[in-house]
Amino acid sequence: MKLTKLEVEKIAGLAKIDLTDAEKKRFQKELSSILTYIGKLNEVDTKDVEPTYQVTGLRDVWREDAEIDCGKNVREGILSNMPERQNNYLKVPAVFKERNKK
């Protein structure tokens, strides 16, 4: 499968990377080569092969959700270990800041 320069530019845009013209030409060749190689998988007869979803034999292990009574002073204990608090809440640095309005 041969990729066009436009397709390489689209892939680069989706990846949010800027490419020089030389890089676009190089990746056009390299990505086309990779896709051609992967395309060979279509030539393999898998009609009688069952799908393999898991090969290690591991299973998900679930536990029951259970309410745990931590006592009356748990909240105060947690808050007492915080460097800053405001009323009965943990005070942390802002993650989102309001933009300056012009």
Side-chain angles (χ1 to χ4, degrees):
M1 177 177 195
K2 180 128 170 101
L3 289 176
T4 65
K5 183 178 177 183
L6 186 62
E7 290 170 322
V8 172
E9 289 171 347
K10 183 174 182 177
I11 293 168
L14 291 171
K16 304 223 185 291
I17 56 174
D18 292 325
L19 298 177
T20 64
D21 284 336
E23 290 171 325
K24 289 176 189 174
K25 189 173 182 177
R26 187 180 103 215
F27 284 121
Q28 183 178 357
K29 184 177 179 182
E30 288 180 7
L31 291 173
S32 294
S33 174
I34 291 168
L35 290 174
T36 300
Y37 184 78
I38 291 173
K40 290 183 179 186
L41 293 175
N42 290 329
E43 299 171 13
V44 178
D45 180 18
T46 59
K47 182 177 71 172
D48 296 326
V49 178
E50 287 192 40
T52 304
Y53 302 105
Q54 220 279 8
V55 295
T56 65
L58 296 175
R59 298 179 309 150
D60 286 334
V61 179
W62 297 92
R63 65 181 174 117
E64 291 293 322
D65 286 337
E67 185 177 323
I68 300 171
D69 182 13
C70 296
K72 293 180 180 180
N73 295 323
V74 173
R75 182 183 192 105
E76 187 56 43
I78 292 171
L79 289 171
S80 69
N81 288 314
M82 291 300 296
E84 289 190 61
R85 64 192 266 191
Q86 185 174 357
N87 300 326
N88 282 327
Y89 298 99
L90 310 175
K91 187 173 181 181
V92 296
V95 177
F96 300 104
K97 294 184 179 181
E98 188 175 333
R99 293 183 181 178
N100 293 337
K101 296 180 182 177
K102 293 182 180 181

